[in-house]
Amino acid sequence: MEQTIKSGVYKLLEKVGDQVNFFLSFVRHLLRKGFEWNEFLRQCFIIGYKSFPLIAVTGFILGFVLTLQSLPTLKDFGAASYVPGMVSVSVVREIGPVIIALISAGKIASSIGAELGSMKVTEQISAMEVSSADPIQYLVVTRILACTFMIPLLTLMADAISLFGGFVGSNLDNKVSLHLYFNKAFNALAFSDLFPGVIKTVFFGFAIGFIGCYHGYHSNRGTESVGHAANSAVVSASLWIIILDGIAVQLTNIFAYN
Amino acid sequence: MQDELTIETKQATEAKTDDNNIVIKVEHLQKSFEDNKVLKDINLTLCKGENLVVLGRSGQGKSVTIQCIVGLLDYDEGSLKVFGKEIKELLEDELKEIRLKLGFLFQSGALYDSMTVRENLSFPLTRVLKMKDDSKINQEVEDVLDAVGLKDAIDKMPGDLSGGMRKRIGLARTLILKPAIMLYDEPTTGLDPITSKEISQLIMDLRKKYQTSSIIITHDLACAKITGDRILVLHEGKFIAEGSYKDLEKSQDERVNSFFK
């Protein structure tokens, strides 16, 4: 029993050490000359543009369902006019960033994990290393930065689509003009709602890129490890998003609302 | 061709006697993976212009040996010098410099599968040699593709290539940096006998053209016969025999003899 606990702790510490080492390696290569702009833009296209349909549908459903679920209750209290404000505050402040980050973790972290894992298994990463090219700079730095840059943009777009989903949901019950709906939605929002929501998505994006790259880059030899890398990337990234959100909410409460 | 081989073998043997001509020197190399000691006591020298074949069954540590040479794996004990520099003691940038002189052909070719053949070949030129002139890059790419006989495949994706073609392109990508030493990891594995022979012949042609020294890891006797000036037989993490193909063919050692039966 004692031995099992010891070995468990040892493995955990080893993993933490590995991740810290990988992070330091990322920082070192980020500061090096010769940033891979083309690969960075290609990754932005893959992560941003190719994820957009999924994010758009998710955002729309989010606003739509939130409206349909809350409208009957608020109507009972004669507060149906508060629905746009309620949807906008909850989507922009919390639900949008977290749900979009979790969806992105499923799509992007798994795809990065599988891609790098497969490159590792087929010795493509080793081939880069032995040719004196820099796989961290080419593969890791570009992907992490593309995630860090694109996830906030995707979240902002999803937030906007979500509000539109709320508008469609409201119109199923009662006719509301687009202008009036968005007027009410934006009136309820303050800078202190938008800013923390956007800032935390930067960290979510970094976590998704970093964890996807870490698991892919450290996958073992063998095809099974590619699946394992993709799976671990999604699980770890999702967990980190929840943890980071908890921290972000506490910090927001301290700095923005007090 | 046999005459040419004899001359080359003679040159390599003469070169071996001169210590200044040694490009790789491995002494008492040991490597373990947890409790499994894969390399027990590896000693080898590679001389300038020589083709050294390491022959052995699967799982004997052949690939581990060359991965240690190129710095992909750390070794536990012993000494491993490339161009007189101990690999283990090199800093990252120094190791990069040494790697520029080493070419490594992976078993699978290890082509970057999201890039075309042209992009695969220009990758080391733009990233490592920092070349920027597109016309110069294209010229280099075409020249090296011509050398491996695959000029027509320039705009194909790796997924569209056969196993033999992938190895040729992998070889071209390695040669484009004009290495002084080539390390071949099972260059003929998984190929039909005709393609295997073509690859073995290509190794010889490229040695002549690019003046490389090579270590060829294989368990393919035909490849060893065509490419090897000197053959080392690896068994359970140690070399148990050394000599030319003809010498080893006559060996009385059952472990060596079993290859030639």
Side-chain angles (χ1 to χ4, degrees):
Chain A
M1 178 70 179
E2 194 189 323
Q3 196 57 40
T4 319
I5 294 171
K6 264 186 186 172
S7 109
V9 170
Y10 180 76
K11 273 186 184 167
L12 182 76
L13 289 176
E14 201 176 49
K15 204 159 197 181
V16 170
D18 260 359
Q19 292 195 359
V20 170
N21 203 17
F22 193 63
F23 175 74
L24 294 176
S25 178
F26 160 74
V27 174
R28 217 172 49 240
H29 287 84
L30 175 67
L31 300 173
R32 270 192 189 167
K33 263 190 192 169
F35 182 72
E36 296 279 354
W37 282 105
N38 286 345
E39 181 62 10
F40 169 71
L41 292 175
R42 196 176 78 90
Q43 288 306 320
C44 285
F45 173 76
I46 294 170
I47 290 163
Y49 180 74
K50 290 199 170 173
S51 306
F52 182 70
L54 175 70
I55 299 301
V57 171
T58 308
F60 182 84
I61 301 286
L62 207 66
F64 185 73
V65 169
L66 201 59
T67 304
L68 290 189
Q69 294 279 22
S70 52
L71 198 56
T73 314
L74 289 174
K75 231 170 148 184
D76 288 345
F77 292 95
S81 62
Y82 286 99
V83 168
M86 188 216 73
V87 170
S88 65
V89 169
S90 53
V91 164
V92 169
R93 203 190 272 184
E94 183 62 29
I95 303 176
V98 174
I99 297 289
I100 297 308
L102 289 173
I103 295 282
S104 302
K107 188 182 184 299
I108 298 163
S110 66
S111 116
I112 292 176
E115 187 191 9
L116 296 195
S118 142
M119 287 184 80
K120 181 93 176 179
V121 169
T122 54
E123 296 176 312
Q124 292 174 51
I125 291 179
S126 300
M128 278 188 196
E129 274 180 51
V130 297
S131 69
S132 292
D134 194 335
I136 299 271
Q137 195 165 33
Y138 182 73
L139 299 171
V140 175
V141 171
T142 52
R143 279 161 179 75
I144 294 178
L145 286 188
C147 283
T148 311
F149 184 64
M150 291 314 289
I151 298 293
L153 287 182
L154 282 172
T155 308
L156 283 174
M157 284 191 264
D159 286 351
I161 294 168
S162 191
L163 294 184
F164 182 71
F167 165 72
V168 174
S170 293
N171 268 275
L172 287 182
D173 183 69
N174 218 337
K175 204 161 188 259
V176 186
S177 79
L178 188 70
H179 182 261
L180 177 66
Y181 182 89
F182 274 90
N183 202 16
K184 281 196 164 282
F186 286 127
N187 275 343
L189 280 176
F191 182 70
S192 58
D193 295 316
L194 187 66
F195 187 66
V198 173
I199 291 298
K200 69 182 173 188
T201 57
V202 173
F203 290 96
F204 292 165
F206 180 83
I208 290 168
F210 180 80
I211 286 162
C213 287
Y214 172 78
H215 284 283
Y217 206 86
H218 289 87
S219 61
N220 299 316
R221 300 282 161 91
T223 45
E224 194 191 342
S225 67
V226 177
H228 184 70
N231 186 265
S232 309
V234 176
V235 173
S236 306
S238 304
L239 189 66
W240 269 107
I241 287 163
I242 303 292
I243 293 170
L244 287 172
D245 188 51
I247 297 169
V249 168
Q250 285 302 317
L251 290 177
T252 309
N253 284 343
I254 294 167
F255 294 111
Y257 302 124
N258 281 347
Chain B
M1 198 190 86
Q2 194 56 45
D3 286 341
E4 278 174 20
L5 272 180
T6 317
I7 292 163
E8 281 163 9
T9 310
K10 208 176 164 190
Q11 283 172 343
T13 315
E14 279 166 5
K16 200 191 158 194
T17 54
D18 183 0
D19 260 15
N20 292 330
N21 271 332
I22 293 175
V23 286
I24 294 180
K25 188 167 192 171
V26 180
E27 290 175 304
H28 308 296
L29 194 77
Q30 292 179 33
K31 170 74 186 166
S32 299
F33 292 97
E34 291 177 358
D35 296 335
N36 181 19
K37 199 164 194 176
V38 179
L39 303 182
K40 289 172 185 161
D41 186 20
I42 296 291
N43 296 283
L44 71 83
T45 51
L46 177 72
C47 298
K48 209 172 176 184
E50 185 187 22
N51 265 10
L52 175 68
V53 167
V54 175
L55 196 64
R57 286 165 49 205
S58 301
Q60 303 297 309
K62 304 188 297 291
S63 297
V64 172
T65 306
I66 55 169
Q67 287 189 13
C68 285
I69 291 174
V70 82
L72 277 177
L73 289 174
D74 283 336
Y75 45 96
D76 304 329
E77 300 283 334
S79 162
L80 198 168
K81 287 181 179 166
V82 180
F83 294 109
K85 288 183 177 169
E86 185 71 44
I87 289 290
K88 217 176 186 176
E89 291 167 4
L90 296 177
L91 298 170
E92 201 181 322
D93 287 342
E94 292 170 329
L95 182 62
K96 272 189 176 178
E97 241 173 73
I98 286 284
R99 279 174 169 170
L100 270 177
K101 298 176 187 167
L102 294 170
F104 195 112
L105 177 66
F106 287 86
Q107 210 169 328
S108 59
L111 300 181
Y112 311 134
D113 49 19
S114 60
M115 300 180 196
T116 62
V117 169
R118 186 195 298 272
E119 288 164 343
N120 260 281
L121 298 183
S122 55
F123 187 86
L125 295 179
T126 51
R127 267 67 182 194
V128 182
L129 302 184
K130 311 282 180 201
M131 281 173 71
K132 283 180 181 153
D133 185 346
D134 282 344
S135 62
K136 238 180 178 179
I137 292 170
N138 276 333
Q139 191 55 52
E140 294 264 351
V141 169
E142 282 172 20
D143 286 350
V144 78
L145 275 177
D146 200 25
V148 298
L150 279 177
K151 218 173 170 180
D152 295 340
I154 193 161
D155 288 316
K156 287 189 174 167
M157 294 299 285
D160 301 329
L161 305 173
S162 68
M165 288 164 91
R166 290 170 77 96
K167 288 208 176 168
R168 280 169 184 262
I169 301 291
L171 190 50
R173 190 181 60 191
T174 307
L175 287 167
I176 208 161
L177 291 174
K178 300 186 175 61
I181 302 170
M182 279 297 300
L183 305 171
Y184 297 92
D185 189 4
E186 314 253 13
T188 57
T189 298
L191 302 177
D192 63 84
I194 298 166
T195 314
S196 294
K197 204 174 171 187
E198 283 173 6
I199 294 280
S200 304
Q201 194 51 56
L202 183 63
I203 291 172
M204 296 305 287
D205 295 344
L206 294 174
R207 168 168 84 162
K208 242 186 214 170
K209 186 168 180 181
Y210 292 92
Q211 306 289 312
T212 53
S213 321
S214 313
I215 295 180
I216 301 140
I217 299 291
T218 189
H219 49 65
D220 176 6
L221 267 188
C223 173
K225 190 176 182 178
I226 295 171
T227 58
D229 298 327
R230 188 159 57 99
I231 299 175
L232 290 169
V233 181
L234 186 64
H235 182 76
E236 293 181 353
K238 284 180 184 175
F239 290 121
I240 53 165
E242 178 181 358
S244 68
Y245 186 89
K246 276 185 182 168
D247 297 336
L248 295 176
E249 211 175 15
K250 292 173 207 153
S251 170
Q252 297 301 308
D253 189 325
E254 187 56 34
R255 296 165 302 178
V256 178
N257 200 259
S258 60
F259 272 104
F260 295 86
K261 275 178 184 169

